[in-house]
Amino acid sequence: MADSTSTLDTSAYFAELQGHNERILRARAERAVEEGELPPDADASALTGLIQSIWHGLSARANLGADRADLLATARLGHALVCGRAGPAR
């Protein structure tokens, strides 16, 4: 079933959507660097990968039954880490 025509078409469609979202997110990160919202040495590609990893992880956890409060706590921590407000690692 995983290699059926409809599955392959769906996989290609989702890959296209993810690629589109990645390009938009990377462009936004690059603009944030250019406009001083992020430090000049920020790696827009790495930041894009991190944010997408958090996003996909949240999606996977939601599909496995994680509750809203848990997902929101994770999203808030990810946001704080990305924005540099989570404090030093201990």
Side-chain angles (χ1 to χ4, degrees):
M1 184 78 181
D3 292 334
S4 72
T5 303
S6 63
T7 304
L8 294 174
D9 290 345
T10 302
S11 295
Y13 175 70
F14 279 111
E16 182 181 323
L17 284 178
Q18 288 176 347
H20 176 73
N21 290 340
E22 180 179 352
R23 289 187 297 279
I24 290 171
L25 183 56
R26 185 180 308 115
R28 177 61 183 99
E30 289 168 351
R31 191 173 85 226
V33 171
E34 291 169 8
E35 295 178 356
E37 292 179 73
L38 292 173
D41 61 343
D43 184 336
S45 283
L47 181 59
T48 298
L50 173 63
I51 292 169
Q52 283 193 305
S53 294
I54 292 169
W55 183 260
H56 292 294
L58 288 169
S59 177
R61 292 182 60 222
N63 286 333
L64 292 171
D67 65 27
R68 179 179 171 82
D70 186 41
L71 295 171
L72 284 172
T74 301
R76 286 184 183 112
L77 176 58
H79 181 258
L81 290 169
V82 167
C83 294
R85 294 190 305 253
R90 297 182 200 258

